[in-house]
């Protein structure tokens, strides 16, 4: 007995609707796409993925800080996530972003600028000039890390690769790859170079403008067709999922997406596939509760302070000068440590 074609179509329609409902309940199409990004690793030869590196005739043994097998394809190709190289700016009166918009704030030589995360989710790097200094503002949506630095006479772009699930930038002058959370050259002519970091904070646009009312705000007129009011990563910023392999996570005692800030100082050592030097992390919820915390770092005392106005952690040296720190998801810090807790101070900051 033949099954009527209408019955077959009806059944297929119901199945399709059931799948669609299940996807939406699980977090929507953004989650579906994000959770399958890692499959791109299996669609090509990793050697071929790294052909652009090897074609530069780089002496891998002497010009690579990491195992190249851990340099993963993040999905989009080189410059597939386009940096903003000719940024335009709005004022508090003209910006389309509301006061609750997560924002990166930077002040250089008295000039204040704000970079809405809604834009950086789609571009990750802005090559700009602030207070007479050529700067790059970098943000990694997968690890929530912020690193602003003096870029000199070059510009930086998005390589399309990830290391420990975090942004890998490249210098357009010589193609050196940089691990963004540490601001450190990992492959190329300038391997082991440490970028000259600039102070930057993650706060809300409203809080930033309350403190710096004349601040200019990165414009949504970027030349690209993106929905800067939409977060493109589903529930990623709230759930426990990490899309790409990340080491040392068995030693993490926080929610992987908990907010932390960390400071670091590279030394002259260059251990392979590790990062050396001093570093300390501060858990935002703990510093907010305590008000402040003082630790030894770089031979002197530094203090992490909860800034009530900006609702974030600010780190100051013994003289009260703010020093560069980076906001991040908690999973980032152990992934980039030589050992996840190198000092008693670091351990106490993590656990208290």
């Amino acid at each position: 007995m033949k099954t009527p074609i209408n019955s077959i179509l009806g059944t297929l329609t119901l199945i399709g609707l059931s799948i669609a409902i299940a996807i939406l309940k699980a977090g929507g199409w953004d989650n579906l796409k994000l959770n399958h990004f890692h499959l791109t690793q299996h669609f090509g030869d990793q050697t071929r993925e790294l052909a652009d590196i090897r074609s530069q005739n780089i002496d891998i043994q002497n010009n690579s800080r990491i195992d190249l097998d851990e340099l993963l394809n993040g999905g989009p190709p080189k410059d597939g996530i386009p940096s903003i190289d000719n940024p335009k700016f709005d004022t508090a009166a003209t910006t389309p972003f509301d006061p609750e918009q997560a924002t990166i704030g930077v002040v250089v030589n008295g000039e204040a600028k704000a970079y809405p995360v809604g834009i950086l989710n789609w571009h990750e790097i802005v090559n700009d000039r602030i207070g007479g200094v050529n700067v790059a503002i970098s943000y990694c949506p997968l690890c929530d890390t912020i690193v602003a630095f003096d870029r000199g006479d070059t510009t930086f772009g998005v390589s399309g690769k990830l290391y420990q699930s975090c942004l890998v930038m490249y210098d357009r002058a010589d193609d050196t790859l940089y691990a963004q959370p540490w601001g450190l050259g990992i492959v190329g002519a300038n391997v082991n170079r440490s970028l000259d970091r600039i102070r930057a904070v993650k706060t809300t646009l409203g809080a930033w403008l309350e403190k710096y009312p004349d601040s200019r705000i990165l414009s949504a007129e970027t030349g690209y067709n993106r929905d800067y009011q939409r977060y493109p990563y589903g529930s990623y910023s709230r759930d426990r999922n990490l899309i790409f392999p990340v080491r040392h996570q068995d030693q993490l005692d926080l929610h992987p997406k908990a907010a932390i800030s960390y400071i670091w100082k590279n030394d002259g050592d260059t251990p392979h596939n590790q990062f050396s030097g001093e570093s300390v992390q501060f858990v935002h919820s703990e510093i907010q509760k305590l008000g402040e915390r003082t630790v030894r770092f770089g031979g002197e005392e530094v203090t992490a302070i909860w800034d009530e106005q900006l609702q974030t952690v600010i780190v100051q040296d013994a003289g009260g000068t703010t020093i560069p720190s980076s906001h991040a998801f908690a999973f980032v810090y152990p992934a980039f440590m030589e050992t996840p807790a190198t000092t008693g101070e670091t351990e106490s900051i993590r656990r208290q």
Side-chain angles (χ1 to χ4, degrees):
M1 183 176 183
K2 295 183 178 180
T3 303
I5 188 67
N6 288 342
S7 296
I8 295 174
L9 292 174
T11 300
L12 291 175
T13 300
L14 288 173
I15 292 173
L17 287 172
S18 297
I19 293 173
I21 291 170
I23 290 172
L24 291 173
K25 286 183 177 179
W29 296 108
D30 287 327
N31 274 6
L32 180 68
K33 291 183 292 184
L34 187 66
N35 288 332
H36 289 83
F37 272 173
H38 70 285
L39 294 178
T40 61
Q41 302 302 321
H42 306 294
F43 295 149
D45 183 354
Q46 183 70 1
T47 301
R48 187 168 67 249
E49 293 290 346
L50 298 174
D52 58 327
I53 296 174
R54 301 186 189 281
S55 67
Q56 300 171 45
N57 296 317
I58 292 173
D59 181 346
I60 298 300
Q61 183 174 356
N62 295 318
N63 293 97
S64 176
R65 180 71 177 260
I66 65 170
D67 290 336
L68 294 187
D69 287 344
E70 296 191 20
L71 191 63
L72 301 181
N73 168 20
K78 185 177 183 179
D79 289 321
I81 297 174
S83 63
I84 298 176
D85 301 328
N86 295 291
K88 298 179 181 179
F89 289 87
D90 292 322
T91 66
T94 62
T95 181
F97 295 100
D98 64 44
E100 296 304 311
Q101 169 67 216
T103 297
I104 296 170
V106 182
V107 179
V108 178
N109 294 331
E111 182 179 8
K113 286 189 176 181
Y115 301 84
V117 170
I119 298 177
L120 288 172
N121 279 330
W122 298 89
H123 295 282
E124 302 189 7
I125 298 174
V126 181
N127 292 293
D128 197 8
R129 185 173 177 82
I130 311 176
V133 178
N134 291 335
V135 302
I137 312 301
S138 67
Y139 175 72
C140 176
L142 292 183
C143 53
D144 207 28
T145 44
I146 298 166
V147 178
F149 55 93
D150 185 335
R151 61 181 172 84
D153 294 328
T154 187
T155 61
F156 281 71
V158 180
S159 72
K161 304 192 184 304
L162 299 170
Y163 180 69
Q164 304 304 324
S165 195
C166 293
L167 167 64
V168 174
M169 311 178 293
Y170 79 97
D171 184 342
R172 292 193 173 112
D174 58 20
D175 274 332
T176 297
L177 300 179
Y178 287 82
Q180 184 255 5
W182 236 235
L184 187 68
I186 54 174
V187 179
N190 272 316
V191 66
N192 300 317
R193 176 195 174 199
S194 185
L195 296 172
D196 185 7
R197 286 167 283 132
I198 294 169
R199 296 186 299 274
V201 299
K202 184 182 180 185
T203 182
T204 63
L205 181 58
W208 182 256
L209 289 175
E210 184 177 343
K211 189 167 187 176
Y212 301 100
D214 296 327
S215 177
R216 292 197 290 164
I217 305 156
L218 182 64
S219 172
E221 295 181 12
T222 62
Y224 298 93
N225 185 21
R226 304 287 191 274
D227 183 357
Y228 298 125
Q229 300 292 343
R230 183 176 74 84
Y231 177 66
Y233 293 93
S235 62
Y236 178 80
S237 65
R238 305 183 306 275
D239 62 35
R240 303 186 67 89
N241 294 328
L242 300 181
I243 307 306
F244 293 88
V246 179
R247 64 187 178 186
H248 297 161
Q249 295 308 291
D250 59 331
Q251 298 167 41
L252 180 66
D253 55 3
L254 298 167
H255 188 291
K257 310 297 175 57
I260 66 149
S261 288
Y262 59 94
I263 55 176
W264 71 100
K265 183 178 182 180
N266 294 320
D267 57 21
D269 294 336
T270 59
H272 187 70
N273 219 39
Q274 296 177 346
F275 291 81
S276 63
E278 288 188 75
S279 64
V280 180
Q281 77 163 345
F282 303 95
V283 180
H284 280 217
S285 61
E286 296 169 357
I287 302 303
Q288 184 177 18
K289 180 179 179 181
L290 293 169
E292 64 180 55
R293 176 93 187 195
T294 299
V295 299
R296 296 288 297 178
F297 178 77
E300 67 174 7
E301 289 188 342
V302 299
T303 302
I305 299 169
W306 183 254
D307 189 309
E308 287 289 349
Q309 185 174 15
L310 296 178
Q311 288 291 292
T312 193
V313 169
I314 303 294
V315 184
Q316 297 180 342
D317 64 17
T321 300
T322 300
I323 60 178
S325 61
S326 180
H327 182 283
F329 287 141
F331 79 81
V332 175
Y333 185 69
F336 279 80
M337 292 296 296
E338 181 175 357
T339 54
T342 57
T343 69
E345 290 173 344
T346 301
E347 184 69 10
S348 69
I349 291 296
R350 291 178 67 215
R351 294 188 179 279
Q352 287 191 8

